[in-house]
Amino acid sequence: MEKKKQIVFFCATTPYVMIYKIAREFKKRGYETVLITISEREKWDINWYKDGFDKIICSNFQIKKPTMKNSFDMLKRASSLLKSIYQMKKLNPYIVFSIAGPHYIAAMAMKFFKEYPLIYFPYDVYSHMYPDKKSLDSKYSSYETKAEKFCFENADGIFQKGAPEGLDFLKQKTLLGKNLKTTPLKIDFPSYCSDEFMVQINKNKLLKKNKEIHLVNVGGLLDKSQDLEVYKTIFNKLIKQKIHIHLYLKTQHASKKEDSKIFTYGFEPFLNSKYFHLEFSLEPKKLILEISKYDFGIWLDHYGKMSIKKTHLYPSLSTGNKIASFLEAGLPFIYSTEFKFVHQVMKNYQLDFGINKLNDFDNLKIKLSKTKQIEKNIINARKDFNMTNHFLRLEEFIREVVRKKS
């Protein structure tokens, strides 16, 4: 029997749902899929990911300052890390995806697997977020900036989920140097919908029960003071119009107990309102089914980023898994038009509920009540924005990377 080609995904943090979806699709097509992560085991549900990966290597390592109290725990984690390295050395990848951030971990993975074809997936490009190198270095340190440059310049292929022109802008901005040299092999592959996550369009919306509109946000929120002020402004405007807001909140790389502390902070003025509902995130598939009962999604963290200056590329180029999550749940969603790539995608499906200014939230109820043909447009969008329709393109890209490396 011919040995399966091994696809290795190296993630520094808790694996993104997008990575699970891609791995799951590879697995269905006869590949062997391997997940490597240094994330702490108690911070994520390792069992949920087993459908997507044939093998999971979790080092359960965390860098902490050694003390007498944690010395035994640190020894256990160091032992786990060494065991993981031993398991990694036994792999024979057909291709490796090195997924940032942080980028220095992705760079270390690239060095470890340098003998194999390797694709760099920056997930979020830090250099898109800042107008100049000084402000970039002040946030992430010059070491992290150098690591990001190293990854771009040493990858055999580059995988990006945002706007197709993202890499071209990166070269023009020169935050990573005037002569950034990258492989010509790159693919633009957004976080598409997955048949496995898709639910039927919910005909029993909460709107039918109480005649009031219900919005839902999923995922984490920014927690800087200026971001919280933006959220508070939006919540006040929604509550004034008797629009419900449901927050299914989850931080990356945090336990549920830590979640509770993080997300109640700053939202105290709204906790007693009948229109403000603070929830906790479910596992990804259950979450999609749960939120299908609401009327609209809302991509709140985009509004938290409204403080980002116009000179930043991040708003124009960024996207995430929420497009897929809301479409899988059968929901149109509200987003900031500052995020131009997201806006363009949704305009293509006639589901552009972009809001440019915070003051536009004042008449949101009127705007949402005039919508037509939403269900038809969502069905069409789910068919087109589906990973199975684009996966052959990813497979061919991988074959090109492997050929060039060979």
Side-chain angles (χ1 to χ4, degrees), residues 13-16 250-254 259:
T13 62
T14 304
Y16 300 102
K250 181 72 179 78
T251 55
Q252 187 76 352
H253 206 68
D259 266 350

Side-chain angles (χ1 to χ4, degrees), residues 193-210:
C193 296
S194 167
D195 289 330
E196 188 178 342
F197 285 71
M198 213 81 74
V199 300
Q200 290 185 339
I201 304 294
N202 194 325
K203 303 291 186 180
N204 297 308
K205 302 284 189 181
L206 293 181
L207 176 64
K208 286 186 176 181
K209 296 181 180 180
N210 59 17

Side-chain angles (χ1 to χ4, degrees), residues 8 119 164 331 374:
V8 174
I119 294 170
L331 301 183
I374 289 180

Side-chain angles (χ1 to χ4, degrees), residues 60-254:
N60 197 33
F61 188 74
Q62 185 183 34
I63 298 174
K64 291 182 179 179
K65 184 178 179 180
T67 65
M68 289 297 292
K69 287 185 178 181
N70 70 12
S71 58
F72 181 70
D73 181 59
M74 292 296 290
L75 283 172
K76 283 175 61 179
R77 291 179 184 272
S79 175
S80 178
L81 177 62
L82 291 173
K83 183 179 178 180
S84 296
I85 292 172
Y86 174 74
Q87 291 176 300
M88 288 162 58
K89 284 185 174 291
K90 293 170 66 176
L91 299 175
N92 185 29
Y94 175 64
I95 196 83
V96 177
F97 284 82
S98 183
I99 303 153
H103 291 88
Y104 78 90
I105 298 292
M108 290 169 63
M110 291 174 69
K111 284 182 172 289
F112 187 91
F113 289 108
K114 63 183 179 180
E115 303 299 325
Y116 300 97
L118 190 140
I119 294 170
Y120 170 51
F121 180 16
Y123 202 83
D124 290 321
V125 180
Y126 293 170
S127 301
H128 283 162
M129 299 180 182
Y130 297 89
D132 53 64
K133 193 172 186 307
K134 183 179 179 181
S135 54
L136 174 65
D137 288 347
S138 67
K139 173 64 177 178
Y140 289 107
S141 82
S142 59
Y143 183 75
E144 180 67 357
T145 306
K146 290 175 183 176
E148 186 174 57
K149 181 180 180 181
F150 174 88
C151 291
F152 273 117
E153 293 194 326
N154 289 274
D156 300 307
I158 296 172
F159 180 110
Q160 60 180 22
K161 63 178 174 62
E165 63 272 22
L167 193 57
D168 297 329
F169 277 120
L170 192 65
K171 291 180 178 180
Q172 293 171 21
K173 280 187 68 179
T174 70
L175 262 68
L176 299 180
K178 292 183 179 180
N179 299 308
L180 183 67
K181 298 176 182 178
T182 64
T183 173
L185 298 180
K186 66 183 181 71
I187 187 170
D188 310 306
F189 201 84
S191 182
Y192 291 110
C193 296
S194 167
D195 289 330
E196 188 178 342
F197 285 71
M198 213 81 74
V199 300
Q200 290 185 339
I201 304 294
N202 194 325
K203 303 291 186 180
N204 297 308
K205 302 284 189 181
L206 293 181
L207 176 64
K208 286 186 176 181
K209 296 181 180 180
N210 59 17
K211 308 300 180 184
E212 294 175 337
I213 295 172
H214 291 255
L215 308 183
V216 59
N217 174 84
V218 296
L221 296 177
L222 302 175
D223 57 0
K224 293 181 180 178
S225 58
Q226 64 266 34
D227 303 319
L228 286 173
E229 291 307 310
V230 172
Y231 300 142
K232 288 178 181 179
T233 299
I234 293 174
F235 296 155
N236 279 318
K237 291 177 182 292
L238 295 177
I239 290 170
K240 187 176 181 180
Q241 297 172 73
K242 297 183 178 180
I243 296 175
H244 293 262
I245 175 71
H246 299 258
L247 305 180
Y248 286 79
L249 301 171
K250 181 72 179 78
T251 55
Q252 187 76 352
H253 206 68

